[in-house]
Amino acid sequence: MTWRPGGLSLSTGLWFVAASAFAGAAGAVLMKQVDGVKPFRFQAWVGLVSATVLTLASILLEDGQWTAATTTGRPLVAAVVFTALIVSVGAHSVYYHLIDRYEANLLAPLTLMTPLATIGLGVLITHDHFDMRMAIGGGLAMLGALIVALRRKPATKLLVERELR
């Protein structure tokens, strides 16, 4: 939901973000139920499936992607290496390790920090515009993550005890 003078609006992009957040939270809960899969192995399977599906989608739905990739040069190579090594292998493997050790309902809201870091890096590196709406939205995201992180566990313990019966 975005606010601009004159009212609130829901954009298509916002619906995609909401769907992504839901899928990520559902994935965290499902991942918590998987036993015996090491984070790097899990990441390898996710990468294989994702690369297969996205390559097929690109071939079927896009035109000129090879020309665009070859003319972009080093920035594209840097982005792919960063995404593959730092994000996929590094950060996601750490996330899967954390999912194995901690409650999924604690970690899923903390992923709200990712878009905040993206905004901060965009402002810092590429000098993206930062305004009051972004500051308020970022503050609300951090407040939500803080509330989840600091809440007490009695409700969670009660649910676990109920499941064990």
Side-chain angles (χ1 to χ4, degrees):
M1 180 164 42
T2 59
W3 175 83
R4 294 188 188 272
L8 298 173
S9 66
L10 297 174
S11 67
T12 304
L14 179 66
W15 288 109
F16 280 118
V17 169
S20 173
F22 177 78
V29 170
L30 293 173
M31 179 67 186
K32 187 71 177 169
Q33 297 175 6
V34 176
D35 289 329
V37 178
K38 302 292 181 200
F40 284 123
R41 181 176 291 165
F42 188 80
Q43 186 58 28
W45 280 107
V46 168
L48 177 66
V49 170
S50 298
T52 304
V53 171
L54 292 173
T55 299
L56 182 61
S58 177
I59 290 167
L60 294 174
L61 302 173
E62 296 178 324
D63 291 322
Q65 63 271 43
W66 292 112
T67 304
T70 55
T71 58
T72 302
R74 289 185 188 193
L76 176 66
V77 172
V80 169
V81 168
F82 176 80
T83 301
L85 296 180
I86 304 299
V87 176
S88 291
V89 175
H92 284 126
S93 295
V94 169
Y95 179 70
Y96 297 141
H97 176 73
L98 291 172
I99 285 286
D100 189 42
R101 295 188 61 163
Y102 300 102
E103 299 174 43
N105 63 347
L106 174 65
L107 293 173
L110 295 178
T111 60
L112 288 172
M113 302 311 273
T114 302
L116 298 178
T118 303
I119 290 169
L121 289 172
V123 169
L124 197 70
I125 295 170
T126 61
H127 308 290
D128 291 349
H129 177 70
F130 185 80
D131 60 12
M132 187 55 73
R133 287 183 315 131
M134 293 174 80
I136 291 170
L140 288 173
M142 290 191 324
L143 179 64
L146 181 66
I147 289 169
V148 171
L150 295 179
R151 70 162 174 43
R152 293 190 161 176
K153 291 188 181 182
T156 304
K157 286 182 180 180
L158 185 63
L159 290 172
V160 169
E161 289 173 6
R162 188 182 305 167
E163 286 293 320
L164 292 176
R165 287 188 217 162

